[in-house]
Amino acid sequence: MLAVLIVVGLVMAAGTLAAILWSIAYPERRLWPPQRYTKATPVLVWMPTFTLFGILFVLGIMNWGSLPIPTWLRFGAGIPLILVGNVIVWSEVAQFGIAQTGGAKGSLRTGGMYRFSRNPQYVADIAMIVGWIVLCASTGAALIGFAGIAVLIAAPFAEEPWLQAQYGSAFEDYRATVRRFL
């Protein structure tokens, strides 16, 4: 079962990364952000996301403690990273809305955590993944987690040409003053 979850997680992460890399290479035929937001878009966006996070969680439980990470670090760093990451992600989702977070057109957000990072939701997702890897100290979760982090690092590079086309000089001014990640 462990091997199956790892393979499914890696295939899902690789497929998502391939779609993002395609979107970077061919922005006029991009897959992310979606060219049109339809009723199917939330399923296509959120199903892989929640499936990958679900696999990450299950692998952490199944393979708990297989990495030699000290208990004080696991609980002292893992839990705070997970909690802070969740607070940031869900507070920004509440501001954006589920649809815009999932790729629907909307407004350029420069307030809230977007004052400090052009991609605070991705940074917070990465913090949650790192926090879970540290907390569960699982080799399987680490493998899938690092694949997920690669996807999260690549995604902004597909989004930025779209943001430039959507918001023009407003995005240029924002990009000139706020860092991509931290």
Side-chain angles (χ1 to χ4, degrees), residues 60 63-69 74 132-139 141:
N63 199 223
W64 188 271
S66 60
L67 291 173
I69 300 174
R74 289 171 63 181
W132 180 245
I133 292 168
V134 170
L135 178 64
C136 69
S138 161
T139 53

Side-chain angles (χ1 to χ4, degrees), residues 4-5 7 17 20 36 38 52 59 61 75 77 86 99 156 164:
V4 170
L5 287 173
V7 168
L17 184 59
I20 289 169
R36 288 184 312 115
T38 67
L52 199 56
L59 284 171
I61 299 298
F75 288 88
N86 269 287
Q164 171 64 44

Side-chain angles (χ1 to χ4, degrees), residues 75-98:
F75 288 88
I79 290 174
L81 284 169
I82 293 167
L83 293 175
V84 169
N86 269 287
V87 167
I88 292 170
V89 164
W90 294 110
S91 66
E92 292 303 329
V93 168
Q95 296 297 317
F96 259 116
I98 297 290

Side-chain angles (χ1 to χ4, degrees), residues 11-26 31-32 151 154:
V11 167
M12 188 161 295
T16 304
L17 184 59
I20 289 169
L21 293 175
W22 171 272
S23 300
I24 293 167
Y26 305 103
L31 300 169
W32 182 253
V151 170

Side-chain angles (χ1 to χ4, degrees), residues 82-127:
I82 293 167
L83 293 175
V84 169
N86 269 287
V87 167
I88 292 170
V89 164
W90 294 110
S91 66
E92 292 303 329
V93 168
Q95 296 297 317
F96 259 116
I98 297 290
Q100 190 173 347
T101 298
K105 292 180 183 176
S107 61
L108 180 63
R109 179 144 165 77
T110 60
M113 295 307 291
Y114 284 84
R115 292 175 300 172
F116 309 108
S117 168
R118 294 194 312 261
N119 298 284
Q121 292 185 59
Y122 291 142
V123 172
D125 283 337
I126 291 168

